[in-house]
Amino acid sequence: MVTTAKPKSTPITRVEDETQKLIQWAEDIHNSDLTVFQKAQAIATRLGAHYRPDGLTEIGFWAPELGADMIQPKNIYLEFLTPKGKIDPKTPVQKVTFHREYVQLEKRGELFWGVYSGIRPGNKDQLGTFYWMHYLDPNTNEIRTIGDFLAYSLPYGVYAPAEVYDFQGMQNNRGDRDYFSRWKTEGETDEIPRVHPPKNILQLHVNTASPNGYLSGLTELYKRIGEKLVKNEELTPAEQNYIGYDSVQLLPVEPTVEYRAEHEFGQGFFIFNEDDMDEMDPETEGVEYEEGDLKITLKKPDTQNWGYDIVIFGSSATDPSVLETLRIEELVDFIATLHNFPTGPIQVVYDVVYGHADNQAIDLLNGRFLKGPNMYGQDVNHQNPVVRAVLLEMQRRKAETGIDGIRVDGAQDFKFFNPMSGRVEYDDAYLADIAHVVQTVGGCQRYPFMIFEDGRPWPAEGWEEISTYRDVIEFVPPAFQWGPLIFAHNTPTLRQFWDKKWKRVCEVMQVGAHWITGCGNHDTLRRGTQVDPELPINWNLGKTYVEVLNNAYDNPAIAMMVYGFSPGLPMDFINCTMRSPWGFLRNTDDRYGVKVVAEEAGFLDWQVEPAMYAETDAFPRLKKMGFGKLAELRQFMRGLYDAIEETDYDLEEVARLCQRYLGAESEKPEVKEETKTRKSASNLQKLNVPGKSQVLAELDVGRLKDFARAFMEDAHDLCNVWNHEAALNPEQTAYNLALRQFRQQNDWLMENLSGMDRFNRISDGDRTVFYGLRTQPQEEGVPENPVQVAMVSHMGGDPVTVTLGDWLQLDLDEWRVAIASPGLEIPDLKAFELSDSQGLLLRRVVG
């Protein structure tokens, strides 16, 4: 439990001489010869709240909406809220006494500054003072709130005040300071070094990858695995899926959207209760009340999101829904655990989103941040020099939690209209700036290694075939990009998928050294659930849609090609290797939630089987609504999807359709001629749900929204990979681990194929087989007898007889099996049969 009890509050006071020093520093920057952007970059480093070693706290706000003189400075002030009662961050709901104080800031144009004493900093053991800025709107005479978009800590979400945090104290006490000290000695020059890229990556969505749904659960998991490895104890198949990687990539961990219908400043997870001070609560018993005290209801953030519905606001902080303790140390402890992993450091990569924002950002950010609507919500105005500087500062603060790499989502979204050329262009200069943000931890300065997702000209028509996936690599040479196989729209469940991808596969072999490669990620696994079941499915992969999907994205032949042969940096998504469901799930969308759920209808076909649905703890919310069987839910989802399409998402009309076709048989009106062709009518009428007249027929707009949230939360619970641990095949997990270990030992495979190497295909319409030969390049330090590997992978179709010696002109007496796919037996290397999804890796043995 984190305690913050204090018998008497220390007044928060502005320290005038220190405030003037801060203002003078800012004015010196303003009057310097730096460019406008350089000035903004310098100023951004002091914005937000910084607890100093001398016990003072300096605070800076950029509020251009208050830059005009129409608002009196006396009507612009900070509100500080210091908790007096005990706060348990793990408690779902609690009421706590806070002491409230108001203090003025110093206004200088669009900037507001102050240095204060008496502020309590948050740390591992206590929640600190909360703060935000208010002003009196002269037009409406209402109090408006401005939050800190550069906050270090937002324990109760983006609509709550930020927390003053002792960030430097946290850095001084982190458990991996030796890791950074050792890394620091690697530099051979005075230049700032760049972190070396890893050899492979494990992609993790924290809430569904962790046993307890939080970063703390992942920390405990890796500690347990580490202890087992030290003691040479056997790992479970699930534990094996987490090792063999030298880096993990966390899906966006910045704050996401919240419950829009409920949330505004001072609501949601941080609720003011100013009228109940006479009521005593057990949590605050014994606390001495003072003038200015009030009670606040704290709700532990419980938002569920696939990760990318972000608001930009507070991106320097960590999404509180992934923190069991709501403390930054929980994140840093996870990073330190991986840096100190007993078999060698495991790097940590953040997935960051700065190119677009959800519409909720309109309520949270000033107007300079946003340019206008797009397919995600809002375009970010990165051309504004202050916004640009703030985004880079958000990235810097995020990186200084101690990570090793950054993956930039949607780099093709950074576009602007260039009046000089008259065209919309990509802001490559900004992407270069992103790649050169310096991280400082424990006195060590370095550039994190960079990954960009950039599929330009996406979303232009034909982008998938037009895109080179190399634009960023060419002007930021150390960077990596998502390659054409990992980017999106992978549907390996379809027949002849890999035959059609042959051109792109060849590109990976020829120029893929700086591509992230593989087949399964958070994007592509979801794409698999959108495949029309009527398309030609590769039924060699399984007997049911769920089996086909699992075997397509956790496929021995694909893994053999990627890890045993292919250039580039392989990446796996834990939900693929754990064979767990996954979707674009969020429980916060009141406006479009029903539409989003309808678009996830394929989730039920490709990810859920009747036996899985029938389990007692599966889909409890939907079962309570009357959907006792999976077939009934699937049918309703089809009808809902069709109704939304037909009504152009008119929820009132969708609700009327549900009421019409789900009522009691005696009450159901005759279907009018114009509705007979409606697919929604057909699908809804087919439902045969007991008691549906009492349950489903009452689906008005409100209940449709309840259904959407229930579906999202039930599906999210199902997606936790640890719910599917018992179904793992130990032979498959051991095979995957062996491939990862082989890659770690043969990192030269990352480089492009040379003129000595071979890569070929056999394709006759009935089968697709990839095979090839690679030789370790002769470089300084490489033995005279370089490593050679030969690979053959059956990528789909009928069985084939393999004569690899003839295909590659090999003396098979010099070759031995390095790794074979599960169940594959090779009595004679000269001729053997491969079936769909099987693969073999050979290694040449000399002497």
Side-chain angles (χ1 to χ4, degrees):
M1 177 179 289
V2 175
T3 61
T4 54
K6 189 177 182 182
K8 199 76 172 178
S9 300
T10 301
I12 295 174
T13 306
R14 193 170 76 195
V15 182
E16 294 303 329
D17 59 339
E18 292 296 322
T19 298
Q20 291 307 313
K21 288 180 184 178
L22 178 58
I23 291 172
Q24 186 61 52
W25 170 85
E27 291 185 347
D28 289 343
I29 296 293
H30 179 71
N31 296 325
S32 71
D33 294 331
L34 297 173
T35 66
V36 173
F37 176 52
Q38 289 170 334
K39 291 176 183 179
Q41 282 186 291
I43 292 296
T45 63
R46 304 290 284 271
L47 294 177
H50 303 267
Y51 182 75
R52 306 189 330 194
D54 61 5
L56 302 178
T57 301
E58 59 180 53
I59 295 179
F61 273 81
W62 175 52
E65 63 268 50
L66 306 184
D69 294 332
M70 60 183 294
I71 301 177
Q72 298 273 343
K74 67 179 181 180
N75 291 331
I76 303 170
Y77 55 90
L78 286 172
E79 178 182 34
F80 290 110
L81 298 156
T82 304
K84 297 179 68 174
K86 299 177 180 179
I87 297 178
D88 183 354
K90 300 179 183 180
T91 298
V93 181
Q94 59 196 309
K95 190 177 292 184
V96 178
T97 300
F98 282 72
H99 184 64
R100 175 160 63 185
E101 298 174 75
Y102 300 110
V103 184
Q104 297 293 132
L105 292 128
E106 282 280 352
K107 180 178 183 293
R108 292 295 187 274
E110 298 178 348
L111 298 170
F112 297 80
W113 301 105
V115 179
Y116 304 92
S117 64
I119 291 177
R120 179 188 307 166
N123 55 39
K124 187 174 184 178
D125 300 314
Q126 70 176 15
L127 273 82
T129 298
F130 290 77
Y131 66 98
W132 48 18
M133 190 164 76
H134 296 305
Y135 68 95
L136 179 65
D137 188 333
N139 297 316
T140 63
N141 208 34
E142 294 180 346
I143 301 297
R144 305 290 185 188
T145 300
I146 298 175
D148 183 6
F149 48 73
L150 273 168
Y152 287 107
S153 177
L154 291 166
Y156 291 99
V158 294
Y159 290 99
E163 177 193 11
V164 176
Y165 213 91
D166 186 3
F167 191 82
Q168 190 55 53
M170 178 272 295
Q171 294 285 51
N172 294 339
N173 295 316
R174 61 184 305 135
D176 56 355
R177 288 179 63 84
D178 288 345
Y179 168 81
F180 286 97
S181 297
R182 293 194 302 270
W183 208 99
K184 184 178 178 181
T185 63
E186 292 182 7
E188 298 177 357
T189 69
D190 293 333
E191 294 182 4
I192 297 174
R194 187 172 294 278
V195 176
H196 305 300
K199 297 166 187 169
N200 59 349
I201 301 173
L202 174 63
Q203 192 184 37
L204 300 173
H205 175 260
V206 174
N207 299 123
T208 58
S210 168
N212 72 352
Y214 298 105
L215 277 164
S216 60
L218 286 175
T219 301
E220 291 306 311
L221 169 65
Y222 274 100
K223 285 182 177 178
R224 181 176 74 240
I225 293 173
E227 291 171 357
K228 282 188 170 184
L229 292 174
V230 169
K231 297 177 182 178
N232 202 28
E233 295 179 0
E234 184 177 358
L235 300 180
T236 67
E239 291 169 339
Q240 287 181 342
N241 280 336
Y242 284 80
I243 66 167
Y245 300 93
D246 58 351
S247 71
V248 301
Q249 177 179 306
L250 303 178
L251 290 195
V253 291
E254 54 257 50
T256 62
V257 296
E258 296 182 12
Y259 304 104
R260 182 64 178 267
E262 304 171 6
H263 282 52
E264 57 185 48
F265 285 118
Q267 296 298 318
F269 300 129
F270 196 93
I271 305 172
F272 287 79
N273 310 113
E274 301 190 44
D275 300 326
D276 64 352
M277 286 306 300
D278 293 334
E279 178 188 348
M280 288 293 292
D281 299 303
E283 295 89 345
T284 58
E285 188 174 352
V287 174
E288 181 179 347
Y289 290 108
E290 308 170 66
E291 183 179 354
D293 285 359
L294 77 160
K295 289 185 180 179
I296 293 176
T297 297
L298 303 176
K299 294 182 179 179
K300 184 170 178 59
D302 59 354
T303 54
Q304 297 172 353
N305 197 282
W306 64 295
Y308 293 85
D309 297 317
I310 57 90
V311 291
I312 299 296
F313 181 98
S315 289
S316 49
T318 303
D319 182 0
S321 69
V322 305
L323 298 173
E324 182 184 25
T325 63
L326 304 181
R327 305 290 78 203
I328 301 175
E329 278 83 357
E330 184 174 333
L331 172 63
V332 173
D333 287 348
F334 169 74
I335 295 171
T337 297
L338 267 64
H339 284 169
N340 296 328
F341 200 69
T343 57
I346 299 173
Q347 296 178 346
V348 179
V349 182
Y350 281 158
D351 196 339
V352 299
V353 186
Y354 296 130
H356 57 81
D358 184 89
N359 283 320
Q360 284 191 26
I362 297 172
D363 301 327
L364 296 164
L365 298 168
N366 67 62
R368 303 278 180 88
F369 274 92
L370 306 172
K371 291 191 293 188
N374 63 22
M375 68 177 68
Y376 308 108
Q378 295 290 314
D379 277 320
V380 178
N381 186 20
H382 49 274
Q383 291 304 113
N384 181 287
V386 183
V387 172
R388 197 181 187 98
V390 167
L391 293 175
L392 293 172
E393 178 63 14
M394 287 178 174
Q395 178 187 327
R396 185 186 70 83
R397 295 187 191 186
K398 198 83 169 179
E400 292 193 354
T401 53
I403 48 85
D404 304 276
I406 291 176
R407 182 259 184 183
V408 179
D409 177 73
Q412 69 275 345
D413 294 333
F414 294 95
K415 294 183 287 190
F416 68 102
F417 176 76
N418 186 342
M420 301 296 292
S421 66
R423 299 192 305 267
V424 174
E425 299 178 1
Y426 294 97
D427 194 349
D428 292 335
Y430 179 62
L431 299 182
D433 287 342
I434 286 177
H436 290 89
V437 173
V438 179
Q439 175 201 59
T440 304
V441 180
C444 168
Q445 285 194 322
R446 42 182 218 168
Y447 295 122
F449 83 87
M450 298 299 305
I451 302 171
F452 292 88
E453 181 208 32
D454 193 314
R456 63 183 77 177
W458 186 93
E461 187 176 352
W463 69 270
E464 190 176 10
E465 297 303 321
I466 299 170
S467 178
T468 67
Y469 304 92
R470 297 187 56 78
D471 296 89
V472 183
I473 293 172
E474 290 172 0
F475 66 83
V476 186
F480 285 73
Q481 277 190 236
W482 274 29
L485 299 187
I486 199 76
F487 191 86
H489 294 162
N490 275 357
T491 53
T493 55
L494 297 177
R495 289 177 55 195
Q496 297 185 321
F497 170 78
W498 287 102
D499 196 52
K500 294 173 183 177
K501 281 285 183 179
W502 172 248
K503 178 180 176 232
R504 288 300 195 183
V505 173
C506 288
E507 289 178 3
V508 173
M509 302 300 170
Q510 295 161 3
V511 296
H514 277 252
W515 275 342
I516 306 300
T517 192
C519 178
N521 64 58
H522 73 277
D523 230 349
T524 56
L525 183 56
R526 193 255 186 161
R527 297 291 179 190
T529 68
Q530 296 179 315
V531 169
D532 184 348
E534 299 301 318
L535 291 174
I537 306 300
N538 180 8
W539 290 108
N540 289 336
L541 296 172
K543 296 180 180 179
T544 66
Y545 289 119
V546 174
E547 286 183 4
V548 169
L549 188 79
N550 287 338
N551 289 325
Y553 288 99
D554 180 24
N555 186 278
I558 299 172
M560 177 69 73
M561 178 184 71
V562 171
Y563 276 95
F565 194 85
S566 173
L569 204 168
M571 183 176 75
D572 298 320
F573 183 37
I574 191 65
N575 293 65
C576 291
T577 56
M578 291 287 283
R579 295 171 168 245
S580 163
W582 168 255
F584 285 6
L585 307 175
R586 64 187 188 205
N587 67 346
T588 58
D589 193 336
D590 179 72
R591 183 175 181 182
Y592 293 109
V594 179
K595 187 175 190 294
V596 172
V597 162
E599 291 173 351
E600 292 295 313
F603 178 92
L604 296 173
D605 295 319
W606 287 100
Q607 303 268 23
V608 186
E609 292 184 325
M612 185 188 300
Y613 191 86
E615 293 179 4
T616 304
D617 56 352
F619 292 91
R621 300 167 185 85
L622 291 180
K623 288 175 180 175
K624 189 175 181 181
M625 294 187 75
F627 295 99
K629 295 181 180 179
L630 178 59
E632 299 163 353
L633 180 59
R634 285 174 173 168
Q635 192 68 42
F636 176 75
M637 286 282 280
R638 293 187 189 103
L640 182 63
Y641 179 86
D642 293 337
I644 288 172
E645 288 289 300
E646 294 162 7
T647 63
D648 196 24
Y649 197 51
D650 182 339
L651 280 183
E652 294 286 352
E653 179 62 20
V654 171
R656 281 193 287 270
L657 284 172
C658 290
Q659 292 166 358
R660 178 180 301 171
Y661 296 112
L662 296 178
E665 292 298 324
S666 59
E667 301 173 358
K668 190 178 297 183
E670 183 180 352
V671 180
K672 295 181 180 180
E673 185 67 28
E674 63 267 23
T675 65
K676 286 184 178 180
T677 59
R678 289 188 174 184
K679 292 185 291 182
S680 58
S682 174
N683 281 315
L684 292 172
Q685 281 182 304
K686 290 178 183 177
L687 276 170
N688 184 25
V689 183
K692 66 183 179 182
S693 59
Q694 287 75 39
V695 181
L696 298 182
E698 298 174 359
L699 281 174
D700 56 16
V701 172
R703 286 179 179 254
L704 280 174
K705 292 182 177 181
D706 291 341
F707 167 81
R709 180 164 175 174
F711 178 93
M712 288 293 190
E713 293 181 348
D714 279 348
H716 184 275
D717 291 347
L718 187 72
C719 286
N720 189 287
V721 301
W722 293 93
N723 292 328
H724 309 276
E725 178 182 10
L728 290 173
N729 179 350
E731 193 176 2
Q732 175 84 354
T733 60
Y735 166 78
N736 288 339
L737 176 57
L739 279 175
R740 295 195 296 271
Q741 291 170 334
F742 182 87
R743 184 72 171 209
Q744 293 286 336
Q745 296 159 5
N746 295 274
D747 58 352
W748 59 272
L749 291 169
M750 178 182 286
E751 300 305 320
N752 299 326
L753 270 63
S754 70
M756 298 174 57
D757 298 326
R758 291 184 57 184
F759 181 67
N760 300 96
R761 167 184 64 160
I762 292 176
S763 174
D764 59 9
D766 295 323
R767 60 187 65 80
T768 301
V769 176
F770 294 165
Y771 66 96
L773 172 68
R774 294 197 64 179
T775 302
Q776 183 180 18
Q778 286 293 287
E779 299 174 355
E780 185 177 351
V782 176
E784 291 184 6
N785 294 317
V787 176
Q788 285 188 294
V789 296
M791 180 274 303
V792 57
S793 286
H794 195 308
M795 308 303 290
D798 297 338
V800 63
T801 298
V802 176
T803 56
L804 205 57
D806 295 335
W807 295 354
L808 294 173
Q809 294 80 53
L810 305 179
D811 180 358
L812 292 175
D813 291 336
E814 297 179 351
W815 293 78
R816 299 291 182 271
V817 173
I819 301 175
S821 60
L824 178 62
E825 296 182 2
I826 309 294
D828 187 355
L829 279 178
K830 293 180 181 179
F832 56 91
E833 186 175 82
L834 277 188
S835 297
D836 194 328
S837 301
Q838 290 185 325
L840 182 69
L841 187 67
L842 303 180
R843 178 168 177 167
R844 184 168 179 257
V845 179
V846 181

